[in-house]
Amino acid sequence: MQDKNAAERKTVQTVTSAQMRAIEAAAMEAGTVTGLQLMERAGEGVVQAVLAQWPHLDHAAEALVLCGPGNNGGDGFVVARLLRARGWKVTVCAKGWEALFPPDDVAREPAARSGGDAWTNARRWRDLGGRCLPLESLPDRARDVPERLLVVDALLGIGQTRPADDLLRPFWTAWGRWSESESGTEIRRVSVDVPTGCDCDTGEPLGQRPFEPDLVVTFHAEKPVHARLRAGGVRIVVADIGLPA
Ligand SMILES: NC(=O)C1=CN([C@@H]2O[C@H](COP(=O)(O)OP(=O)(O)OC[C@H]3O[C@@H](n4cnc5c(N)ncnc54)[C@H](OP(=O)(O)O)[C@@H]3O)[C@@H](O)[C@H]2O)[C@H](O)CC1
Ligand SMILES: [K+]
């Protein structure tokens, strides 16, 4: 008789985005955790999973973190800060954070976004001297791509609701140019929580071409999209961020 626990361990818990948000809200409501703690643990989980998957990248690779306008982007700013603290060269390219990183370097703090956890982490990145370039600033020549590069997709997560082509276009355009790069360039791609351009509850693409990660690090439990990604050969890691089962 198969050990019941082993069977349980084999079954992967799957939750929908709505269930995820309810679990998160209940934990914050109960005062057992704050959104900022969850975001920090999410970023830590991504970094640990990347180092476990590709230990040779540590101290040897550069990171390009793509941050979107919401909390998925907030996770990205945490990842950027943690990798920089490990000595990585980190470039952040983002959409939706222009007020904090204006081209004229005079930060404006619009009321709209200030106060959220993502805003806090974007400011932490700025306050340690981190810069934030527009998504259109991605290196567009193969020779400008470092020998070892980690691309972090923190554009959209479980909050994506519509085609993401506009957000992904700058990346796919640059990617097309990078693929001409000399052999030996190693580019690894990791998605935070959910690949941008994927509906996490149906697994269906949102737009023409979703981000194509080698690794996805999700939080607390898989979402329905992850089984489909795993079936397609993508490595899925579930990071524990301290939420109750
Ligand atoms: N416990 C947890 O699950 C934790 C999750 N974290 C991270 O938070 C994200 C979810 O963050 P959220 O802000 O809810 O959503 P996203 O960041 O995925 O999306 C942000 C907003 O982007 C807009 N949106 C939606 N689709 C598009 C699109 N195609 N193009 C542009 N913008 C889009 C939308 O806002 P609108 O007002 O424009 O509709 C989204 O709200 C989760 O995935 C985790 O990474 C916590 O950090 C840790 C705990
Ligand atoms: K993502």
Side-chain angles (χ1 to χ4, degrees), residues 83-169:
L83 287 177
R84 177 179 165 139
R86 296 185 67 88
W88 287 49
K89 181 173 179 241
V90 181
T91 301
V92 172
C93 289
K95 175 110 168 116
W97 299 99
E98 296 71 19
L100 259 184
F101 303 92
D104 56 11
D105 270 348
V106 175
R108 298 169 190 81
E109 315 238 348
R113 193 180 285 282
S114 56
D117 299 331
W119 173 268
T120 301
N121 279 297
R123 281 197 54 180
R124 281 180 179 166
W125 173 248
R126 185 194 68 183
D127 295 349
L128 54 79
R131 296 186 62 218
C132 185
L133 304 174
L135 285 173
E136 292 70 21
S137 312
L138 294 172
D140 66 358
R141 293 178 305 177
R143 65 170 177 269
D144 294 335
V145 178
E147 199 177 320
R148 286 205 172 95
L149 177 66
L150 174 74
V151 179
V152 180
D153 159 28
L155 289 170
L156 297 172
I158 63 172
Q160 49 194 311
T161 55
R162 54 188 186 276
D165 297 317
D166 55 331
L167 222 44
L168 282 167
R169 188 166 298 111

Side-chain angles (χ1 to χ4, degrees), residues 199-221:
D199 181 314
C200 71
D201 292 329
T202 66
E204 290 303 316
L206 286 169
Q208 293 296 313
R209 187 179 181 189
F211 190 82
E212 295 165 7
D214 303 295
L215 167 69
V216 180
V217 186
T218 188
F219 312 118
H220 180 67

Side-chain angles (χ1 to χ4, degrees), residues 174-191:
W175 178 261
R177 297 200 183 104
W178 300 350
S179 53
E180 297 133 31
S181 60
E182 298 76 50
S183 64
T185 301
E186 178 184 5
I187 304 177
R188 301 289 185 187
R189 290 166 285 173
V190 58
S191 281

